[in-house]
Amino acid sequence: MATPKGYSSYHGRFPKWKIIVVILLILIIVAAAGFILLQRYLVYDGSGLPHFQFPEKEKTSASAGKSASSGTAASSTASSSKKDLNIKIEKSTEKGVRELQLSETPLLDWASVQQRIQSTGTVYNSVVLTLKDAKGYVYYNSVAAAAASRRAVRAQSSTAAAVAAMTASADYSSVARLSCLRDARASRADLNGKGLKNTGGYIFYDGNSENWMDPAKPATQQYLAALAKECANLGFKEILLTDFSYPTKGRLSRIDYGTGEKSENLKTCLTAIKTALAGTKVKLSIELPADVITTGSNAEAGLNLADIAPLVDRIYAQTTAAQSQALSDAVTASNKSTAFVPEVSGTVDSSQSSYLFLG
């Protein structure tokens, strides 16, 4: 085919060596640029040998350190939160008790008693039932009392069922009130084993012509401990001891106190009762005269607050709203874990978180 004059489709072949040179130049340039770029990451170790340390590795190390630091902080925070949580759980106070004292008679019908309580319009969370009075009569089917004194038990045919219903109640905590040492029945029935004697060897009569048991005698301690254990087995949540002292009225110089200290004898007797309740969740409480709490002791009665407070969960005393806080402070000062419950009558002060209403 003819072509225009002066033009040709063939321009010649590009030499191969030139192509190789171009490629080598490109590689040299790239290598030089790469070397310059990598110089910033070139480091030497302690022996003088070079090696590269890239940003990714530093970032990973920093990230790991930050993660570890964050983990430590998180762990510390979690530990702190857990510690704070534990403190909140341990910080608890005893719920206030609002108790009602029932009459000193055998319980015959719990349902009717409960209705009367609710009709008062006052909200109680605990009910106190006398199971042994100051004359020595026992108002439940007690094996220990029946064995100690003839006709001491004055329970009726319906008493057992009524007491069982009371202790099973979900609305009220049940408290068994036991008059301890002022007891004409047991002391006269077993003068040598339990009775408090005069210096002539006969039964002692106090200023009210009443008889008492001797707390120093083992039989007395065993009897009261047995009664407390029976009450615990009946389902009562608390045992309230009253008349727990030596007589303070009458010809006290005529009492045969024996060789032991009065306060030590009472402490030994109270310890025996507490031991009988070991293994149960039943609270042990005691009623004391208000003056014993404020002064700390009563030599005639043989009462010593410092000996008694550590052995009981609660201390009760008949008092007024005005005096209640001072008595509570005195009990706490004697033993921090022992609570104070004022026994009141008439109008109850609304500021009192705990009280036993006597009616």
Side-chain angles (χ1 to χ4, degrees), residues 183 186-188 190-197 202-204 212-214 217 220 256:
D183 186 329
S187 62
R188 295 173 68 86
D190 185 9
L191 178 58
N192 291 327
K194 302 185 186 71
L196 183 65
K197 296 181 179 181
Y202 300 99
I203 188 73
F204 172 78
W212 294 67
M213 289 194 294
D214 189 341
K217 294 180 175 179
T220 297
D256 180 5

Side-chain angles (χ1 to χ4, degrees), residues 181 196 214-216 221 244-248 252-253 255-270 298-304 307-308:
L181 299 173
L196 183 65
D214 189 341
Q221 300 166 13
F244 193 85
S245 72
Y246 281 90
T248 56
L252 305 182
S253 61
I255 297 177
D256 180 5
Y257 292 108
T259 58
E261 291 290 335
K262 287 185 284 185
S263 59
E264 283 298 319
N265 293 339
L266 289 173
K267 183 179 179 181
T268 300
C269 187
L270 183 58
N298 184 310
E300 288 184 342
L303 296 171
N304 189 325
D307 290 337
I308 294 172

Side-chain angles (χ1 to χ4, degrees), residues 156 161 171 196 201 239 254 314 351:
Q156 303 297 317
D171 298 323
L196 183 65
I239 310 295
R254 298 293 305 276
R314 294 171 180 161
S351 66

Side-chain angles (χ1 to χ4, degrees), residues 42-62:
L42 184 65
V43 295
Y44 295 87
D45 58 21
S47 61
L49 296 176
H51 65 274
F52 291 102
Q53 184 173 336
F54 296 102
E56 291 78 12
K57 189 172 184 179
E58 294 176 350
K59 183 176 180 181
T60 302
S61 177

Side-chain angles (χ1 to χ4, degrees), residues 40-292:
R40 70 174 69 181
Y41 305 117
L42 184 65
V43 295
Y44 295 87
D45 58 21
S47 61
L49 296 176
H51 65 274
F52 291 102
Q53 184 173 336
F54 296 102
E56 291 78 12
K57 189 172 184 179
E58 294 176 350
K59 183 176 180 181
T60 302
S61 177
S63 175
K66 183 177 180 181
S67 176
S69 177
S70 299
T72 302
S75 176
S76 177
T77 302
S79 177
S80 177
S81 299
K82 185 176 181 181
K83 184 178 179 181
D84 291 340
L85 179 62
N86 288 337
I87 292 174
K88 291 180 180 179
I89 291 174
E90 292 172 359
K91 186 178 179 180
S92 61
T93 56
E94 183 181 31
K95 181 180 178 182
V97 293
R98 298 176 297 280
E99 303 176 328
L100 175 64
Q101 170 71 50
L102 301 182
S103 59
E104 292 189 356
T105 56
L107 184 65
L108 303 178
D109 182 12
W110 168 244
S112 63
V113 171
Q114 190 171 13
Q115 289 176 357
R116 289 199 302 271
I117 296 173
Q118 294 171 348
S119 67
T120 64
T122 302
V123 179
Y124 296 100
N125 57 19
S126 185
V127 179
V128 181
L129 178 65
T130 297
L131 292 186
K132 180 177 181 289
D133 66 16
K135 295 180 180 179
Y137 291 114
V138 176
Y139 299 115
Y140 70 99
N141 296 313
S142 170
V143 174
S149 175
R150 184 182 178 187
R151 293 191 295 272
V153 178
R154 289 198 167 183
Q156 303 297 317
S157 59
S158 61
T159 297
V163 169
M166 174 183 174
T167 57
S169 174
D171 298 323
Y172 303 95
S173 179
S174 53
V175 180
R177 189 173 190 136
L178 298 177
S179 175
C180 294
L181 299 173
R182 189 161 54 150
D183 186 329
R185 304 298 308 180
S187 62
R188 295 173 68 86
D190 185 9
L191 178 58
N192 291 327
K194 302 185 186 71
L196 183 65
K197 296 181 179 181
N198 59 27
T199 53
Y202 300 99
I203 188 73
F204 172 78
Y205 287 87
D206 67 8
N208 295 319
S209 298
E210 294 181 325
N211 307 123
W212 294 67
M213 289 194 294
D214 189 341
K217 294 180 175 179
T220 297
Q221 300 166 13
Q222 294 165 9
Y223 177 50
L224 294 177
L227 294 179
K229 187 61 179 292
E230 285 181 340
C231 292
N233 291 338
L234 289 175
F236 284 89
K237 304 301 187 298
E238 180 180 349
I239 310 295
L240 172 56
L241 309 178
T242 67
D243 299 308
F244 193 85
S245 72
Y246 281 90
T248 56
K249 296 180 180 180
R251 302 176 65 180
L252 305 182
S253 61
R254 298 293 305 276
I255 297 177
D256 180 5
Y257 292 108
T259 58
E261 291 290 335
K262 287 185 284 185
S263 59
E264 283 298 319
N265 293 339
L266 289 173
K267 183 179 179 181
T268 300
C269 187
L270 183 58
T271 301
I273 298 173
K274 183 178 180 64
T275 301
L277 297 175
T280 72
K281 295 182 179 180
V282 178
K283 293 182 179 297
L284 180 61
S285 303
I286 191 169
E287 179 188 67
L288 296 177
D291 66 315
V292 171

